[in-house]
Amino acid sequence: MAPSLLSIAVLALLFLGAFVPRFSLALAALPAALLVAGLAGVGVDELFGFFPVDFVVLVVGITALFAVVQLSGTTDWLLSRALRPIGNRVALIPLLLFAVGALLTAIGTLPAAVIAIMAPIALGIAAKRGLPPLLLCLTMLNGIMCGLFSPIAVFGASTPRLMSKAGIEVPAHTSLALFLAVLGTGLVLCLVAMLVGRRSIRAARDGAGSPTAPPDRASAEIVGTTGTAVASTAVRERVSDAVGQQSAPGRLAVWGSIAALVVLVVGGAVFKVNLGLLGLTLAVVLQLVLRIEPSAIIRRLPWEIILVIAGVLTYVGLMEHLGAFEQITAALSSATGSPLLSLLAVCLVVGLTSFFASSIAVLATAVPLVAPLVAAGLPPVGAIIAVALSAVLVDVNPLGITGGLLLGSAAPEDRARLFRQLMVYGLCAIVLGPVLAWFVFGWVL
């Protein structure tokens, strides 16, 4: 068997194994990479070159900072302030998270920073109000991904330039149409998630103020499973205590934490400082100022999640080196005969690749593939919207940077269930996202 085909087969086995009891993707990914590399004649030193050092530093730095913020009591303080104006209007919470996430990324904030800020509060609201964590995660992440295509955000600003560089004529309305199309798609997905989880929203609204939150039904409903998943009572009690019973943190802790968060966002969005190193620096400074025990911070770092994603991204780097993704692209393209079907093949490849790799890198690679299709008669803006949506819709998964930060913010007892739910959603999005994006936008504009 060719090394590229072997890497594809082993990757499929890895993800199938993730649903087998006592199988750990965190432990298996790196050994699988070593096995395939050995059979393909790739040396260990070269394999280590695929290890995502930047990602490890990013997750460690940001989660260390937010461990300090949480230990200082500021997260619970922010949670109580966020809950205060909502009252019993529980149905507005998913929309609020969607809007805030879209706004923050639309003004240029990096998704990692937005998720790091919003995830602890969103999951805390879910526990406090008895809402399904998956529902709030989906609405928040869809909002964050949609804001990326604002004309002043990285994706929105770079896409027209990529089109021009690839020789595609860029209509004047491209930036606005791209942003509105992606934003509208995200809003529809948010409303669909709320519709599917309407029973849990209604139960949470009816049970507002009750010490016992309703069961977490919508998480199972959204991913299409049966049965009733019960939300963690321990988390609800912890958040309830933090919001309603613990004394408020001191001014130094609150304003110091808020200042650190502002520096993180401004440093990443405006000055393009490495978020991981900046977050770790701020964590150390804040820890020393507030005199927090370092071991408590280290215990809160999501080491298992770091190992999962680092191992998978190392394996994906090896697959790229072996030409596996090019082989997938060639196979899909050979099965099509018209420009419209070729665009569908490109969207599917983009969705599959973006599930594992950087969305902006995948988008930059895919835009040149669209140029000959536009020359053959496809509308440029619609084709680019379809490809762009294919790249970002699959980002709601537990194996990327966004998913890693989200799982790192979840309570340890909730991580396994949330990982499975996000995995199922992400795997479905690999096919359904590109197909729907192609069907709706591929032939218009």
Side-chain angles (χ1 to χ4, degrees):
M1 180 182 293
S4 57
L5 293 178
L6 175 64
S7 67
I8 296 171
V10 173
L11 180 68
L13 291 176
L14 283 175
F15 284 104
L16 289 175
F19 296 92
V20 176
R22 295 185 177 86
F23 178 87
S24 172
L25 186 60
L27 296 176
L30 284 174
L34 178 63
L35 173 64
V36 175
L39 294 175
V42 177
V44 174
D45 291 339
E46 190 174 3
L47 178 64
F48 280 146
F50 306 132
F51 188 86
V53 177
D54 289 347
F55 168 77
V56 174
V57 173
L58 173 67
V59 177
V60 169
I62 289 182
T63 53
L65 173 59
F66 282 90
V68 176
V69 172
Q70 186 176 21
L71 289 168
S72 72
T74 304
T75 299
D76 294 328
W77 183 83
L78 291 172
L79 173 61
S80 66
R81 293 299 184 274
L83 288 173
R84 185 171 297 174
I86 294 175
N88 291 330
R89 297 182 291 273
V90 178
L92 296 180
I93 294 176
L95 290 173
L96 175 65
L97 292 175
F98 174 87
V100 173
L103 175 63
L104 290 177
T105 50
I107 62 176
T109 311
L110 294 177
V114 178
I115 293 172
I117 292 170
M118 293 185 63
I121 295 177
L123 292 171
I125 291 175
K128 173 67 177 178
R129 294 290 184 170
L131 288 167
L134 179 63
L135 171 63
L136 299 193
C137 288
L138 292 180
T139 54
M140 177 186 69
L141 290 176
N142 277 316
I144 290 172
M145 294 307 139
C146 291
L148 288 173
F149 286 92
S150 159
I152 61 174
V154 175
F155 280 64
S158 61
T159 301
R161 293 184 177 91
L162 291 171
M163 294 172 64
S164 179
K165 187 177 179 180
I168 302 174
E169 184 178 352
V170 183
H173 65 282
T174 298
S175 295
L176 182 60
L178 178 63
F179 178 49
L180 293 179
V182 177
L183 186 64
T185 301
L187 181 58
V188 169
L189 291 175
C190 176
L191 295 176
V192 169
M194 293 176 62
L195 179 64
V196 174
R198 64 189 181 279
R199 286 186 294 173
S200 291
I201 294 176
R202 189 182 304 117
R205 182 190 61 203
D206 296 341
S210 172
T212 302
D216 181 10
R217 289 189 297 270
S219 292
E221 295 167 1
I222 290 173
V223 298
T225 59
T226 57
T228 301
V230 181
S232 171
T233 303
V235 177
R236 294 197 189 95
E237 293 175 351
R238 174 173 55 82
V239 176
S240 178
D241 291 341
V243 175
Q245 299 175 13
Q246 289 183 356
S247 59
R251 287 188 176 182
L252 178 61
V254 171
W255 292 111
S257 299
I258 292 176
L261 297 179
V262 171
V263 171
L264 180 69
V265 173
V266 173
V270 179
F271 298 103
K272 310 303 179 184
V273 181
N274 184 282
L275 279 178
L277 295 175
L278 180 59
L280 193 57
T281 302
L282 293 170
V284 172
V285 172
L286 202 58
Q287 176 261 326
L288 292 174
V289 170
L290 300 180
R291 304 178 66 181
I292 295 175
E293 184 63 36
S295 60
I297 301 172
I298 295 174
R299 283 196 302 268
R300 289 174 179 264
L301 298 182
W303 294 111
E304 183 178 0
I305 300 302
I306 293 171
L307 186 57
V308 168
I309 304 173
V312 169
L313 293 182
T314 301
Y315 190 86
V316 168
L318 175 63
M319 290 182 66
E320 291 175 341
H321 175 74
L322 297 176
F325 291 111
E326 288 83 352
Q327 192 160 0
I328 295 172
T329 303
L332 287 175
S333 298
S334 65
T336 63
S338 69
L340 194 58
L341 290 179
S342 296
L343 177 63
L344 175 59
V346 171
C347 289
L348 288 170
V349 172
V350 166
L352 176 64
T353 310
S354 187
F355 185 86
F356 307 107
S358 166
S359 296
I360 187 65
V362 173
L363 184 60
T365 305
V367 169
L369 299 177
V370 178
L373 305 181
V374 172
L378 288 184
V381 179
I384 289 298
I385 289 174
V387 172
L389 280 170
S390 300
V392 298
L393 289 179
V394 299
D395 282 344
V396 184
N397 74 78
L399 299 180
I401 292 177
T402 55
L405 292 172
L406 182 64
L407 290 171
S409 301
E413 59 269 26
D414 285 344
R415 286 175 185 163
R417 184 179 73 248
L418 189 58
F419 178 89
R420 290 192 298 270
Q421 292 170 342
L422 290 174
M423 177 69 82
V424 171
Y425 182 93
L427 291 175
C428 292
I430 289 177
V431 176
L432 295 180
V435 169
L436 292 176
W438 168 80
F439 180 77
V440 175
F441 298 104
W443 51 279
V444 299
L445 301 175

